[in-house]
Amino acid sequence: MAYSDVYEGWRKDPEGFWMQAADAIDWTRKPSKALFDENAPLYEWYSDGLVNTCYNAVDRHVEAGRGAQTAIIYDSPITGTKDKISYAELQTRVASLAGALRDKGIEKGDRVVIYMPMVPQALEAMLACARLGAIHSVVFGGFASNELAVRIDDAQPKAIIAASCGLEPGRVVDYKPLLDGAIELAGHKPDFCIILQREEKPAELTPGRDHDWYEVQNGVAPAECVPVEGNHPVYILYTSGTTGAPKGVVRPTGGHLVALNWTMKNIYNVDPGDVFWAASDVGWVVGHSYICYAPLVHGNTTIVFEGKPVGTPDAGTFWRVISEHNVRCFFTAPTALRAIKRDDPKGALIKDYDISCLRALYLAGERADPDTIEWAQATMKVPVYDHWWQTETGYTIVGNPAGIEALPVKIGSPTVPMPGYDVQILDEGGHPMGPNQLGAIAVRLPLPPGTLPTLWNAEDRFRKSYLTTFPGFYETGDAGMIDEDGYLYIMARTDDVINVAGHRLSTGGMEEVLAGHPEVAECAVIGVSDQLKGQLPVGFLCLNKGSASSNEDVANECVKLVREKIGPVAAFKLAVVVDRLPKTRSGKILRATMVSIADGQDYKMPATIDDPAILDEIRTALQTIGYARG
């Protein structure tokens, strides 16, 4: 069947399309219909069905006689560990951990925060929550205490599951002190914590509150799967908000199962039993969707990789993993390939490995630059598919449906909309624009199953963030255009969320930290283009009049401050002191213009600018740190 037929089939009968896709899921009670639109523009899918995520990801494969198949391959070049966990073993482990959680009072609807490194137990914790109908919220391991505290206060978890430490090449990241600090900072206190002690750095447990991962499971009866409604949240995942306060994206159980299962064959072209590898982290949406849930629900073998594209031990580690574990489909961020390319520009190390098992490489998380795609095509000799989606959607908005029909690749475009997504380019007034015209990318409502129905405890913010600018549409926050063949091109973000190595981070959040420095009167953070990480934050600091500190000292202290408050993930290394910031007459900082100057791009002088001379001052300041060369 051709892609155009499938897409047209969905367009003509969306209800029929999504009810048929739902047949691939094992329901305790089948939903009466797909779309529930009584509360539009807030939509729900499969709301009156009853289903359990963990049952679909684990138990049903064991019951179908596939218990001996490997569910998870754990590969940690950092610790030198390799392990395989079968579906039957996974079922035993998850039911046991879920039993321990239930024994401590966790039930359907309770929240559990998970703060774990890349170990199989992170997936076991997610699945154990889903088994009970508890709602997990995974926070990227190693996130700073105050970032974790904000999420604890928003989700109000009854329990926190963490590891004693995470491992980076050459260093151990102590999670436990960060967790203790977060609990101290948070207004909400969890009833208990479960800590996975890693031998590299065991932690001091707080008596009465903290329990050892293995000891807490001793003598506890394993838990059965608890069926939940189709619209019951399986998890909350926090994404950077423009105001600096994180937004809790809610993922509904029924649509999540249906949509993710559909993508595995239709987009990634894998069959049950094939090995699928997404080189991400469980803390990000790719880790939720394509390390944990989608591969397991579809009956694939998934890889949990604790390492880096370079330095564990070298730029050939990805090729080793693909070759050794017979990976059929590989998914990573362009930044990982840029790191490999920087260390091994000619791709010489790939010659040591046979990666003929690999069918395709998928890229997402940030814009895939043509240079990186061409290098990957030449080095790996497989199709390279860019695809575009968001934390909010949980899976592909625009991609190449290789399992239906592999469409011609146009470098620079993630290809075409997937069924369920009616993607439009709109002008500021919300009118559709013609081919090759740049505008705001919006998706006609309703969004398909599995996408966010709302934000956690923040319906007004959900409406304001996504539904208000263009009534009847979901606002993606990206700008781009669609060509005459229907291929989408993404050109820029329309707000202040920057993309550092595939991690979406709010410049507003960084500005809040900088503004907290006693010598800083005003500040701005912009994302400048970076060859390796896609974007890097640069801070501009206006100091208090008569400040006694040297400019250099303040800049260094500010860099340290962001590292402490937001974490190394922000990659915040550059701050420069300026006399004033370029603004509109109404006081809005002209960040987009500053980015153009930094990147050496042409720009139009904003009509509303207060004092054009400031732009030259910004250019001079940027040149002192190696930018604005153009």
Side-chain angles (χ1 to χ4, degrees):
M1 209 170 182
Y3 154 78
S4 55
D5 296 336
V6 175
Y7 190 79
E8 218 26 66
W10 157 72
R11 202 192 267 286
K12 284 201 178 95
D13 181 14
E15 183 74 20
F17 182 92
W18 289 119
M19 280 307 274
Q20 190 184 344
D23 286 343
I25 295 304
D26 286 0
W27 300 84
T28 309
R29 180 179 73 213
K30 287 206 161 171
S32 63
K33 57 177 183 170
L35 179 66
F36 289 71
D37 57 3
E38 297 78 10
N39 201 13
L42 304 181
Y43 295 91
E44 289 183 346
W45 295 88
Y46 311 117
S47 304
D48 63 359
L50 280 179
V51 70
N52 181 277
T53 295
C54 183
Y55 179 83
N56 276 278
V58 183
D59 301 64
R60 67 169 175 163
H61 305 308
V62 178
E63 286 171 20
R66 302 202 7 245
Q69 184 199 312
T70 301
I72 298 171
I73 295 171
Y74 172 49
D75 188 313
S76 170
I78 295 184
T79 61
T81 311
K82 288 174 199 170
D83 193 16
K84 289 186 174 175
I85 301 166
S86 71
Y87 272 100
E89 288 171 289
L90 184 61
Q91 183 185 33
T92 303
R93 290 189 188 196
V94 170
S96 172
L97 180 61
L101 288 168
R102 185 182 60 186
D103 192 52
K104 294 230 155 298
I106 299 293
E107 50 192 41
K108 179 187 164 187
D110 288 339
R111 273 81 61 210
V112 177
V113 161
I114 298 173
Y115 186 65
M116 300 276 279
M118 282 299 289
V119 291
Q121 288 89 342
L123 274 61
E124 292 168 22
M126 294 163 78
L127 291 162
C129 292
R131 192 172 191 85
L132 299 172
I135 303 164
H136 66 69
S137 186
V138 181
V139 178
F140 181 72
F143 241 25
S145 291
N146 67 313
E147 289 287 328
L148 178 54
V150 168
R151 288 154 174 78
I152 290 170
D153 276 336
D154 195 71
Q156 308 229 317
K158 204 183 258 191
I160 298 178
I161 302 177
S164 59
C165 66
L167 304 171
E168 297 278 327
R171 71 186 186 108
V172 174
V173 183
D174 266 330
Y175 283 9
K176 188 60 171 40
L178 292 168
L179 173 64
D180 291 342
I183 292 172
E184 202 170 310
L185 284 170
H188 172 87
K189 311 294 179 194
D191 292 356
F192 66 96
C193 299
I194 294 178
I195 308 294
L196 175 72
Q197 295 280 27
R198 301 193 72 187
E199 58 189 48
E200 290 76 19
K201 189 82 186 268
E204 281 286 309
L205 299 188
T206 305
R209 185 194 76 193
D210 298 344
H211 304 273
D212 176 85
W213 175 280
Y214 294 105
E215 286 172 13
V216 80
Q217 298 182 46
N218 281 344
V220 171
E224 292 305 308
C225 296
V226 176
V228 300
E229 299 75 16
N231 58 0
H232 180 76
V234 66
Y235 68 75
I236 303 162
L237 179 57
Y238 289 94
T239 181
S240 292
T242 46
T243 58
K247 295 187 287 201
V249 169
V250 173
R251 191 74 64 216
T253 299
H256 178 243
L257 286 166
V258 173
L260 286 188
N261 183 70
W262 184 90
T263 63
M264 288 303 286
K265 179 62 188 166
N266 291 287
I267 297 173
Y268 299 104
N269 196 21
V270 287
D271 296 310
D274 287 345
V275 180
F276 182 92
W277 179 26
S280 178
D281 188 283
V282 287
W284 311 119
V285 71
V286 173
H288 282 61
S289 294
Y290 291 105
I291 296 174
C292 186
Y293 289 116
L296 296 176
V297 169
H298 193 248
N300 290 92
T301 297
T302 187
I303 295 182
V304 173
F305 173 74
E306 187 181 38
K308 293 275 185 268
V310 296
T312 59
D314 57 31
T317 194
F318 275 11
W319 320 136
R320 173 191 66 77
V321 172
I322 291 166
S323 157
E324 197 171 307
H325 302 305
N326 197 31
V327 174
R328 285 302 173 94
C329 182
F330 179 44
F331 179 165
T332 192
T335 193
L337 292 179
R338 287 196 287 267
I340 294 168
K341 178 167 163 264
R342 191 177 67 178
D343 274 24
D344 182 18
K346 298 226 162 15
L349 288 170
I350 203 166
K351 296 176 179 62
D352 299 341
Y353 303 96
D354 174 7
I355 67 158
S356 58
C357 53
L358 190 69
R359 289 207 199 112
L361 167 69
Y362 287 79
L363 297 174
E366 60 190 314
R367 194 168 164 271
D369 54 294
D371 195 38
T372 300
I373 292 178
E374 284 158 0
W375 183 86
Q377 286 171 336
T379 305
M380 297 172 70
K381 300 183 170 46
V382 294
V384 177
Y385 299 127
D386 182 19
H387 61 323
W388 171 66
W389 45 292
Q390 299 180 322
T391 301
E392 289 85 347
T393 65
Y395 63 99
T396 314
I397 303 170
V398 171
N400 199 321
I404 301 169
E405 176 191 12
L407 298 170
V409 168
K410 291 190 186 188
I411 289 186
S413 167
T415 315
V416 293
M418 292 299 97
Y421 294 100
D422 179 355
V423 179
Q424 305 276 331
I425 306 294
L426 306 177
D427 66 16
E428 282 174 358
H431 309 106
M433 301 181 76
N436 302 307
Q437 289 185 301
L438 183 65
I441 305 171
V443 182
R444 195 184 298 281
L445 295 173
L447 291 179
T451 55
L452 82 167
T454 188
L455 293 172
W456 181 252
N457 285 342
E459 190 186 296
D460 288 348
R461 191 172 176 202
F462 171 68
R463 289 175 184 266
K464 208 169 133 205
S465 297
Y466 304 105
L467 308 181
T468 310
T469 309
F470 306 114
F473 288 88
Y474 164 84
E475 180 187 6
T476 68
D478 282 298
M481 60 188 196
I482 294 175
D483 72 9
E484 47 291 322
D485 298 326
Y487 279 58
L488 177 77
Y489 291 78
I490 289 155
M491 316 307 271
R493 285 292 298 166
T494 53
D495 61 16
D496 75 351
V497 173
I498 63 168
N499 203 318
V500 180
H503 307 325
R504 282 178 65 201
L505 296 163
S506 166
T507 53
M510 294 181 216
E511 288 171 4
E512 283 181 16
V513 173
L514 297 177
H517 187 286
E519 300 290 356
V520 173
E522 194 179 18
C523 62
V525 175
I526 61 168
V528 299
S529 295
D530 178 76
Q531 261 200 300
L532 183 66
K533 291 185 183 268
Q535 282 183 300
L536 276 181
V538 171
F540 296 83
L541 313 169
C542 301
L543 303 191
N544 294 321
K545 293 252 187 305
S547 165
S549 308
S550 76
N551 289 358
E552 196 174 63
D553 283 351
V554 176
N556 290 338
E557 285 162 21
C558 283
V559 168
K560 214 172 129 215
L561 211 53
V562 173
R563 216 184 155 76
E564 279 166 18
K565 298 269 192 197
I566 293 175
V569 69
F572 188 90
K573 298 186 180 81
L574 296 171
V576 63
V577 174
V578 292
D579 284 332
R580 49 201 183 142
L581 296 169
K583 293 182 182 176
T584 62
R585 291 187 195 91
S586 65
K588 193 167 181 284
I589 297 170
L590 294 162
R591 290 184 181 79
T593 309
M594 293 166 78
V595 171
S596 298
I597 294 170
D599 291 347
Q601 305 285 338
D602 293 337
Y603 62 90
K604 272 210 310 241
M605 178 73 69
T608 55
I609 191 165
D610 195 15
D611 181 358
I614 302 178
L615 296 179
D616 292 326
E617 296 168 20
I618 295 294
R619 175 178 279 109
T620 306
L622 279 162
Q623 284 167 347
T624 66
I625 54 167
Y627 286 91
R629 296 185 193 89

